[in-house]
Amino acid sequence: GGTHSRVVLVSGDGRILAETEGPSTNHWLIGSEKCLERIEQMVSEAKSKAGVDPHVPLRSLGLSLSGGDQKDAIGKLTEELRRRFPHLSQSYHITSDAVGAMATATDHGGIVLISGTGSNCKLINPDGSEAGCGGWGHMMGDEGSGEAGGQELRGGSGGGGCLSRLRAPSAAYWIAHQAVKMVFDCMDNLEVPPHDVGYIKQAMFDYFQISDRMGLLTHLYRTFEKSKFAGFCQKLAEGAQAGDLLCCHVFNKAGEVLARHIVAVLPKIDRSLFLGELGLPIVCVGSVWNSWERMRAG
């Protein structure tokens, strides 16, 4: 994922032998070289935990990676894994985090809606055809993004591979950016916010350990880290929980734009997906869904 990753080592009969966790494995964010090194390190650690010689290759390594849905990139990653780490695995299968998330829930298809460090929506029909909306990163999208965790929602109610995307304790780039932008625009007298910016302004100063807006420029440019900036969303979630109206407004807006992702892929959906007992399967990935009650109205 964009912030955290997890390796699960599984035996031939389906038993979980070991698990390890590590940092981001999004090759668009950290580069292919570092991505592969982190994969090798986590897999080798999982082998050691299971009492397996790290130099004995796995039968197969499934990689469910954020940024893992471009054929050229997948080919290059696989080639480099074989060349640099011949002991890692005998075979590889690389796919996106959205496809990996769907595989954990159903083999009949549905919609995956990711709201983590970034956001992405993927429709997978029963015949394997796909359609997507979003997933272009923070420069071109990430609307409604948060971070980590995972639960399945069907019909609007809560409810494979060795390496899968772990969305644990981080938060949302888009939500954090929306909130910070409202503070800046208010202080510049450019836009009138729908509610008082007091809580978010002070939370922003505290989180980034700055005394004024100029201090934030370092975090925005010179030392920018997407996951660090996205982490501010946790403070916004706390504000929403405490009843701050502007925090609630931002989460409401996040719910709206995430719902629009689903609407965007509906024209290409197989109608049979609506016929299940609980309706259309929607797998929601990302800890922003822990704030579902704040997004529901949007």
Side-chain angles (χ1 to χ4, degrees), residues 120-244:
N120 192 9
C121 180
K122 180 80 73 174
L123 162 67
I124 304 174
N125 284 314
D127 65 359
S129 61
E130 299 180 4
C133 176
W136 302 112
H138 65 282
M139 294 295 288
M140 292 295 292
D142 279 352
E143 293 89 350
S145 61
E147 211 354 303
Q151 58 179 310
E152 180 181 2
L153 302 188
R154 290 178 177 267
S157 58
C162 182
L163 181 65
S164 62
R165 179 153 166 166
L166 170 68
R167 304 203 167 266
S170 244
Y173 175 84
W174 184 87
I175 294 174
H177 180 269
Q178 288 286 300
V180 170
K181 186 71 165 64
M182 285 183 184
V183 172
F184 271 57
D185 288 350
C186 176
M187 296 179 70
D188 283 344
N189 199 32
L190 180 65
E191 295 282 351
V192 178
H195 304 286
D196 182 74
V197 301
Y199 171 87
I200 293 180
K201 176 182 175 182
Q202 189 58 50
M204 179 181 76
F205 288 166
D206 293 343
Y207 176 79
F208 291 103
Q209 297 183 324
I210 57 177
S211 57
D212 55 35
R213 288 186 296 166
M214 293 299 294
L216 191 60
L217 296 183
T218 297
H219 298 279
L220 289 172
Y221 300 104
R222 187 178 301 166
T223 63
F224 176 75
E225 292 182 31
K226 182 180 178 181
S227 59
K228 167 68 174 179
F229 193 88
F232 180 53
C233 183
Q234 177 61 38
K235 299 301 179 183
L236 301 174
E238 294 171 4
Q241 185 67 30
D244 180 76

Side-chain angles (χ1 to χ4, degrees), residues 70-141:
Q70 278 200 329
K71 290 184 178 180
D72 290 345
I74 289 173
K76 291 178 181 178
L77 287 174
T78 302
E79 182 181 330
E80 282 298 295
L81 282 168
R82 294 185 187 280
R83 184 184 68 82
R84 295 183 58 189
F85 309 110
H87 62 276
L88 197 61
S89 181
Q90 295 177 10
S91 64
Y92 296 90
H93 180 77
I94 302 178
T95 188
S96 69
D97 50 352
V99 173
M102 178 60 70
T104 68
T106 174
D107 57 1
H108 300 301
I111 292 176
V112 178
L113 187 57
I114 292 174
S115 181
T117 301
S119 63
N120 192 9
C121 180
K122 180 80 73 174
L123 162 67
I124 304 174
N125 284 314
D127 65 359
S129 61
E130 299 180 4
C133 176
W136 302 112
H138 65 282
M139 294 295 288
M140 292 295 292

Side-chain angles (χ1 to χ4, degrees), residues 27-76:
H27 63 95
W28 292 114
L29 291 178
I30 64 174
S32 296
E33 183 174 349
K34 186 172 291 186
C35 171
L36 297 181
E37 290 172 355
R38 291 177 176 181
I39 289 171
E40 191 278 335
Q41 183 177 2
M42 285 187 288
V43 172
S44 295
E45 183 181 343
K47 289 180 181 178
S48 297
K49 279 188 175 183
V52 178
D53 184 349
H55 292 92
V56 175
L58 299 172
R59 290 293 299 276
S60 181
L61 177 60
L63 300 165
S64 174
L65 304 174
S66 54
D69 47 7
Q70 278 200 329
K71 290 184 178 180
D72 290 345
I74 289 173
K76 291 178 181 178

